[in-house]
Amino acid sequence: QLKFARHDHETLSAAVRGFTQHFGLTQVNAVGVLPLYHVSGLMAWLRCALTGGTYLAWDWKALEGGGRPVLPARAEGWLLSLVPTQLERLLSSDGAVAWLRQFRIIFIGGAPARPDLLEQAAALRLPLSLGYGMTETAAMVTALRPEDFLAGARHSGAALPHATLKLGSDGVIKIESASLFRGYYPAWREVAAFETTDAGVQPALGQWQILGRRDAMIITGGEKVSPVEVEAVLRGSGELRDVVVVGVPDA
C-alpha cells in the first residue's frame, strides 16, 4: 500500500543539521544522480540548499555511459549518494574509479551492499559511508564515517546528533529524532518514538548493524534466518548475477 510520509521545515532542517554536525561540514556540495522524489535524492539537494552549497544535478544514464561532470574546487569537497547497484556498475566502467576518488564522501544506501562489493571499494580506497535511515526519518539517522570504512569497519556507523536509536526486547529498532515524520497522509502523528520493522544489533557501544526487516525473517527449524544474510553469501559466490531469498511453507 502506497504511503506518503509528512515532513515539514522543522523535520527536514533537523536532519540537515544532524548530518553536517556528524561529518564536520559547514557547507554541502553534492552531485545528484538519485531522483528528487526519493528521500536520498531530496535530502542531497536540501543539504546543499540549506548550507549555501552547490547542487549539481546529473543524469545517471549519462554518468553510467562515461559522461562525468567536472567538479569545481570546493573547500568542503563534494559528496555523492549511490545505491549499491550504481556503485557496482561504475566500478566496471573505465575511468569511473578515478572520478569517484575525487569525492570527500560517497554514501551507499537504499539496499544492503554485498560484502565483496564493499571490499572491492575499500581496496580501491573509495571513501564510502554506510548508513541507516528511511523516508520516515528524512534519510539517514546513522552513518559510518569514510575514515572508519577505510580502516575496516563495515557496520552502519553511529547515530547522528539529532537521533537516538534503541533496541526493543525483540531486537527491533526504535528511533527518537527531531527529523521524524509527522504521520502518514492524511493522518497526523503525535511526537513520539517510532518503532521500525528493522532488526539490528550493536557490535560495539555507539555502533549499529542493521540485520534487515524483522517481518522478513524466515523461521526454519526453530531458527530465525535473515534472508538478507543468505542473499549476501550467495551473491558473494560470484556464481549468480542476482538472487532473492524467500521462505515457503514446508510441512
Coordinates of all heavy atoms in Angstrom, one line a residue, residues 47 57 68 102 123-124 151 164:
R47 N 20.3 19.5 1.6 CA 21.5 19.8 2.3 C 22.3 21.0 1.7 O 22.9 21.8 2.3 CB 22.4 18.6 2.5 CG 21.8 17.5 3.3 CD 22.5 16.2 3.1 NE 21.8 15.0 3.7 CZ 21.8 13.8 3.2 NH1 22.5 13.6 2.1 NH2 21.1 12.9 3.8
A57 N 23.0 18.6 -10.5 CA 22.1 17.5 -11.0 C 22.8 16.9 -12.2 O 23.3 17.6 -13.1 CB 20.7 18.0 -11.3
R68 N 30.9 12.1 -17.2 CA 31.1 12.5 -15.8 C 31.3 14.0 -15.7 O 32.2 14.6 -16.4 CB 32.3 11.7 -15.2 CG 32.0 10.2 -15.3 CD 33.1 9.4 -14.8 NE 32.9 8.0 -15.2 CZ 33.5 7.4 -16.2 NH1 34.4 8.0 -16.9 NH2 33.2 6.1 -16.5
Q102 N 37.6 11.5 -6.3 CA 37.6 13.0 -6.1 C 36.6 13.4 -5.0 O 36.7 14.5 -4.4 CB 37.1 13.7 -7.4 CG 38.0 13.5 -8.6 CD 37.5 14.3 -9.8 OE1 37.6 15.5 -9.9 NE2 36.8 13.5 -10.7
A123 N 39.4 -1.7 -1.3 CA 40.7 -1.9 -2.0 C 41.1 -0.8 -2.9 O 42.3 -0.5 -3.1 CB 40.7 -3.3 -2.7
L124 N 40.1 -0.2 -3.5 CA 40.3 0.9 -4.4 C 40.4 2.3 -3.7 O 40.5 3.3 -4.3 CB 39.1 1.0 -5.4 CG 39.1 -0.2 -6.4 CD1 37.7 -0.1 -7.2 CD2 40.2 -0.2 -7.3
A151 N 39.3 2.0 7.4 CA 40.1 1.3 8.4 C 39.5 -0.1 8.7 O 40.1 -0.8 9.5 CB 40.0 2.1 9.7
T164 N 18.3 9.3 18.3 CA 18.6 8.3 19.3 C 18.0 7.0 18.9 O 16.8 7.0 18.6 CB 18.1 8.7 20.7 OG1 18.7 9.9 21.1 CG2 18.5 7.6 21.7

